[in-house]
Amino acid sequence: MKAVTQRSDAPLTPAIVVTGASSGIGREIARVAARDRMPLLLVARSHEALLDLAKQVEASGTEAGCLSLDLRASNAAGRIESALAEHGWYCDVLVLCAGIGVFGAFNEINRCEHLAVVDLNARVPTELA
């Protein structure tokens, strides 16, 4: 992500960005992070699951934003940056929990599926970090 330009009218607030927040480890880490009362930007593909988690987080007194996004999209980092800026936040902590896997014999799995695993599990975390 490129550096976020600070708004002239107010300082930016540090936030935690959690990818893969709609389920599994990402969802649980977001719940734990909410205890620190630091704003959370929850990122995943499943919009409904993100909304549900955001309601839980906000019920505990922590501000939360949702960004439904496939991190493999070419503009994913920019969309995260824009979502943070819209809230007046910057990424202080980045939690990378998004990931996929494929199962079966290597030679029986479509080449595109293998490349999607490499993209989401290796390229995306590198770009975001």
Side-chain angles (χ1 to χ4, degrees):
M1 291 190 284
K2 63 183 181 178
V4 175
T5 304
Q6 185 170 337
R7 297 180 326 186
S8 61
D9 60 334
L12 295 177
T13 301
I16 300 170
V17 176
V18 181
T19 68
S22 62
S23 64
I25 294 171
R27 186 175 183 91
E28 294 309 312
I29 287 177
R31 286 182 175 143
V32 171
R35 296 178 194 157
D36 289 336
R37 302 288 191 263
M38 195 169 169
L40 294 172
L41 180 62
L42 308 169
V43 182
R45 291 180 300 168
S46 176
H47 185 69
E48 292 301 318
L50 287 177
L51 290 176
D52 178 58
L53 178 58
K55 286 178 189 173
Q56 293 175 30
V57 166
E58 289 175 340
S60 73
T62 299
E63 193 174 358
C66 297
L67 179 59
S68 300
L69 176 66
D70 184 339
L71 292 170
R72 295 173 291 176
S74 62
N75 64 342
R79 290 198 48 207
I80 291 171
E81 177 184 11
S82 293
L84 287 164
E86 286 173 19
H87 288 283
W89 302 339
Y90 70 90
C91 180
D92 188 50
V93 177
L94 176 61
V95 182
L96 298 164
C97 292
I100 56 173
V102 293
F103 303 96
F106 186 87
N107 63 331
E108 294 175 3
I109 297 171
N110 179 297
R111 176 179 172 264
C112 291
E113 289 181 68
H114 285 298
L115 294 176
V117 169
V118 171
D119 194 37
L120 185 59
N121 297 353
R123 185 197 58 81
V124 167
T126 302
E127 180 181 5
L128 294 180

